Amino acid sequence: MAKPLLVCKCVAWSAYSAATAEHHISTYNHRVSLQTRHTCLVTVQDVGLWHKLATMSAEQGYIRQAVYCWSKFLSKERDDFEARFTRAQLYGVLREGWKAKGQFQQLLGKEPGHPEVVKELARLYNEDGDPSTAIELLETQLRDHYDKLDLTHINMLADLYINLGHHDNAVKLVNRTEEVFCSQGDLPIDLQVRRGTCYLNMGDQASAVADLQQLLDHPVVEDEVSYLDLYLLVVEQACKAGLDKFAVAYMDKIRATPGLLEDVKDWQLVIDGYCRADKHDVAIEMYKQKLAELAQQDERYFPTVLALARLYAGIGQKSAATELLSQLDNQLSQGDITLPDARGVQVGQNCMGVRGMYEC
C-alpha cells in the first residue's frame, strides 16, 4: 500500500534537520517544520518523532497522514491510551466510522465507563442511524459508572429520548438530574429547556411554560456563549403546540441581537413564527432586511422574493405582491439574476389570483 504523500522511508535523523525543525516549531512556522521533518530521514525507533509528526499533520489538515503517523507511534507504544483515542477520532473525521467504533470499543474494554469514549461511541452510533445502541451506552453509563457521569452524558441521552419521541423518559431523566446533580444549585438552562419542550409534547402547557420562561432571563448571546439554538428550539416547539403568542418574546429577543440569523432555515423559522402570531408587518420587515443583505446573484435571493410575494398575497396585499414579482421579472429579463428556470415568477403571478392560497 502506498505511503502518505509526505511520509518518507526512514533510516536516520540528522541533528541539523532536527534543529531546523525545532526552530520552525518555536517560531510557529508549522508548515515549514512539517516539511523539514518529512524531508529528513527518520529512524523507526524514534517514536517521539512519530508523535510530533502525527500531531502536526492533524493540525495542518493532513488527516490520513496523521492516522499513518499515529499507527507508527502505536506500533511501539501499544498501551498509549490517548494516542489510540486520538487516532479513533481521526477515523471518524475520515468517515470511517466502523474503524472508529472498533477502536473506541477496544478502549472501553480497557477502561469501562471512560466518559469521553462513551460520548464518542454514542455519537458515532447515533450518526450511523443506530440511536438504540447509543441510548444503551449512555444508560449503562448512568447505571454502572455513575462516578464517571457528567452533564454532557445527560444532555446526549435526553436528546436521544426526545428525537425518538420518548418525552416521558426525558422528563424523568432531567428530574432525576435536578435532584442529584443540582441539589445545591439551579438546573442548567439547556436541560430546563429540553424538559419544557417535552412537557409541551406531553400536553402539559403549564409545566412547559414554567420551564421555558427561564430562558428569557438569559441573553441570546452572553459573554461569547450562544443560546440561539435554545431560543430557536422554543420557537419551533411552541409554534407546533399552538402557543404562537408565547413564542413572540423569544423571536423578539433573537431579532434584537444582530448577526445571528445567517442560516436560511433559522430566519425562515422566525418569520413563519411571526406569521403564525399574526405579526405580518414584522415578517415583511424581516424579508426586506434579508433581501437588502443578499446580492441578486445569491441563490437565496430568488426564493426569498417569492416567499415575500406569497406573504403579501396571503394577507390580501395583492398589489404589493404583483409589484414585487414584476420587479423580479425585470431583473431576470435584464440578466441581473441568473437561474436555471425562471418560470417560478409566472407561477407566482398565476397563483396570486386565488386569495388566501398562501396563508402563513
Side-chain angles (χ1 to χ4, degrees):
M1 185 175 68
K3 299 284 191 300
L5 179 61
L6 294 178
V7 175
C8 310
K9 185 98 174 169
C10 314
V11 290
W13 166 252
S14 74
Y16 171 78
S17 295
T20 303
E22 294 302 333
H23 166 72
H24 288 306
I25 289 177
S26 66
T27 57
Y28 297 95
N29 196 341
H30 296 301
R31 180 183 61 81
V32 177
S33 173
L34 185 61
Q35 291 173 345
T36 303
R37 288 185 178 279
H38 284 303
T39 302
C40 69
L41 300 172
V42 187
T43 63
V44 175
Q45 288 75 24
D46 194 350
V47 293
L49 178 60
W50 283 119
H51 189 291
K52 290 182 180 179
L53 287 173
T55 302
M56 294 173 64
S57 295
E59 289 174 350
Q60 294 296 314
Y62 301 112
I63 305 303
R64 181 72 65 185
Q65 178 174 289
V67 168
Y68 177 86
C69 294
W70 280 123
S71 297
K72 283 292 188 180
F73 174 81
L74 287 165
S75 69
K76 299 297 180 180
E77 299 288 341
R78 298 182 181 278
D79 296 328
D80 191 306
F81 189 94
E82 293 303 320
R84 289 194 179 277
F85 183 90
T86 301
R87 186 177 66 171
Q89 286 182 312
L90 294 177
Y91 280 133
V93 174
L94 293 172
R95 299 188 181 279
E96 296 177 359
W98 63 277
K99 288 184 180 179
K101 285 186 286 188
Q103 291 288 304
F104 283 127
Q105 288 287 9
Q106 290 180 19
L107 292 174
L108 200 60
K110 293 181 178 180
E111 288 196 28
H114 188 286
E116 299 308 314
V117 174
V118 170
K119 292 172 191 175
E120 292 289 344
L121 269 174
R123 179 183 58 79
L124 285 167
Y125 277 111
N126 187 48
E127 289 177 354
D128 286 347
D130 188 2
S132 297
T133 300
I135 288 174
E136 184 180 347
L137 280 163
L138 293 165
E139 288 180 337
T140 299
Q141 187 77 357
L142 185 65
R143 183 183 64 250
D144 299 339
H145 304 287
Y146 191 78
D147 59 323
K148 300 176 182 178
L149 190 70
D150 62 40
L151 288 174
T152 301
H153 296 114
I154 301 297
N155 270 298
M156 293 178 72
L157 184 54
D159 282 339
L160 287 166
Y161 283 148
I162 292 170
N163 291 339
L164 292 177
H166 301 164
H167 302 291
D168 53 341
N169 286 346
V171 167
K172 291 175 183 177
L173 174 66
V174 176
N175 287 344
R176 180 60 177 163
T177 301
E178 187 172 28
E179 293 173 7
V180 177
F181 275 85
C182 310
S183 58
Q184 303 300 319
D186 295 331
L187 182 68
I189 190 61
D190 51 347
L191 285 175
Q192 202 161 6
V193 168
R194 283 173 172 80
R195 183 173 65 184
T197 61
C198 288
Y199 280 135
L200 278 179
N201 283 278
M202 295 166 66
D204 186 351
Q205 291 191 356
S207 296
V209 169
D211 267 342
L212 298 178
Q213 280 182 332
Q214 303 304 313
L215 180 59
L216 292 173
D217 294 336
H218 298 266
V220 184
V221 178
E222 181 180 31
D223 297 330
E224 298 184 357
V225 176
S226 176
Y227 297 99
L228 177 61
D229 59 333
L230 297 179
Y231 271 85
L232 292 171
L233 179 63
V234 173
V235 171
E236 178 185 20
Q237 294 298 318
C239 289
K240 283 183 179 179
L243 299 177
D244 308 319
K245 303 294 185 182
F246 176 77
V248 169
Y250 301 86
M251 294 186 289
D252 285 346
K253 290 196 72 168
I254 292 172
R255 285 189 66 229
T257 309
L260 292 182
L261 297 177
E262 297 298 326
D263 194 305
V264 174
K265 65 179 179 59
D266 290 342
W267 61 262
Q268 189 64 60
L269 172 67
V270 174
I271 287 175
D272 290 345
Y274 276 121
C275 289
R276 293 172 65 97
D278 294 326
K279 289 188 170 290
H280 300 105
D281 54 335
V282 179
I284 289 170
E285 182 60 29
M286 286 188 68
Y287 272 128
K288 288 181 176 180
Q289 289 177 354
K290 180 57 65 175
L291 287 172
E293 296 171 5
L294 296 175
Q296 292 182 4
Q297 294 296 332
D298 192 304
E299 62 180 9
R300 296 169 294 177
Y301 185 86
F302 180 72
T304 301
V305 173
L306 289 184
L308 177 55
R310 287 195 293 268
L311 174 55
Y312 278 136
I315 60 176
Q317 297 185 24
K318 183 176 179 180
S319 59
T322 302
E323 180 181 355
L324 184 64
L325 288 175
S326 296
Q327 292 174 0
L328 183 61
D329 198 18
N330 290 334
Q331 291 169 335
L332 287 166
S333 62
Q334 294 171 10
D336 295 334
I337 301 176
T338 303
L339 294 171
D341 184 357
R343 288 175 296 172
V345 175
Q346 184 62 47
V347 171
Q349 290 173 329
N350 292 338
C351 287
M352 284 191 304
V354 183
R355 188 167 187 251
M357 175 174 285
Y358 294 110
E359 289 182 355
C360 291

